[in-house]
Amino acid sequence: MKNTEIKVKYYNPNDNNNNNNNNNNNNNNTINNIIKLLDLVPHPEGGYFKESYRSPLIINDRHSSTAIYYMLTKGSVAKFHIIKSDEIWHFYAGGAVKLVYFTKEGNLDDVIIGNNVLTREIPQYVIPANTYFAAYPLDDTQYALLGCTVAPGFDYRDWELTSRETLLEKYPKHKDIIERLT
């Protein structure tokens, strides 16, 4: 993991213009409690995270697997990025998240990560290595607590926060979603 100083900023409902009822105060308390209890910090691509596992097994200069807790809150996004390993997304708590990605053929695809399988949400999904992807909470989601498992293990040398220009050059017909998630 990169040794970078990260200043912790707790979730503030005023950032999302949703401070007018008691339900939102309860959500704010829940969100801040989860952030504190899991010791989450801001992630460079958006949201909050904490590494929870790093395999001691090293294969070809890489840990065989890593895992993080990851949280997105209302109004936040996981910006488009790419890594050189498969990434498995797991749903734990809160509301659903839309995971969007570009296929090898250059098409935009998406999946809803959540726990309501009867409405076609799925609790787990694999993003293949070398795939541009991003995520955001659905409109009615106050927060989503997720997990991400990476194999071979995550290393910042294999991660790129993708620029808007790069994506627009590759996928110009998807300008709206690229501008929203970069």
Side-chain angles (χ1 to χ4, degrees):
M1 192 181 322
K2 246 186 197 175
N3 289 330
T4 23
E5 186 176 317
I6 299 177
K7 201 171 210 180
V8 176
K9 178 186 174 197
Y10 290 107
Y11 176 76
N12 180 345
N14 295 324
D15 290 344
N16 297 315
N17 300 317
N18 63 353
N19 61 339
N20 293 327
N21 67 43
N22 289 333
N23 199 24
N24 288 324
N25 288 334
N26 291 337
N27 286 328
N28 182 38
N29 290 336
T30 299
I31 292 165
N32 281 325
N33 285 337
I34 292 170
I35 289 169
K36 288 177 186 177
L37 290 168
L38 295 179
D39 199 25
L40 304 178
V41 297
H43 194 292
E45 73 198 30
Y48 300 90
F49 83 110
K50 166 82 177 191
E51 185 173 276
S52 58
Y53 176 73
R54 182 166 288 270
S55 171
L57 178 63
I58 306 290
I59 301 171
N60 296 330
D61 191 34
R62 291 290 189 260
H63 293 269
S64 63
S65 179
T66 56
I68 64 169
Y69 292 117
Y70 186 63
M71 178 185 267
L72 287 172
T73 56
K74 187 172 190 70
S76 67
V77 301
K79 296 175 185 171
F80 270 109
H81 58 289
I82 188 170
I83 64 172
K84 294 179 182 177
S85 298
D86 292 344
E87 183 166 331
I88 306 165
W89 284 59
H90 312 265
F91 181 83
Y92 297 140
V97 167
K98 183 175 275 192
L99 188 57
V100 297
Y101 59 94
F102 289 102
T103 66
K104 287 181 182 180
E105 298 77 29
N107 298 315
L108 184 67
D109 207 346
D110 63 65
V111 63
I112 305 296
I113 305 293
N115 66 354
N116 192 345
V117 295
L118 298 177
T119 62
R120 298 189 182 218
E121 294 177 5
I122 57 172
Q124 187 180 85
Y125 192 76
V126 178
I127 294 290
N130 301 306
T131 299
Y132 293 105
F133 65 103
Y136 60 92
L138 298 185
D139 289 341
D140 60 347
T141 295
Q142 295 300 310
Y143 76 93
L145 179 61
L146 308 149
C148 297
T149 303
V150 176
F154 181 83
D155 188 305
Y156 276 101
R157 294 174 291 177
D158 298 335
W159 174 83
E160 175 191 316
L161 190 59
T162 313
S163 75
R164 180 175 291 171
E165 295 75 25
T166 297
L167 291 172
L168 287 173
E169 186 176 308
K170 289 179 180 262
Y171 312 107
K173 69 181 181 180
H174 301 292
K175 180 181 177 188
D176 290 344
I177 193 77
I178 290 169
E179 288 182 346
R180 178 178 176 197
L181 300 175
T182 54

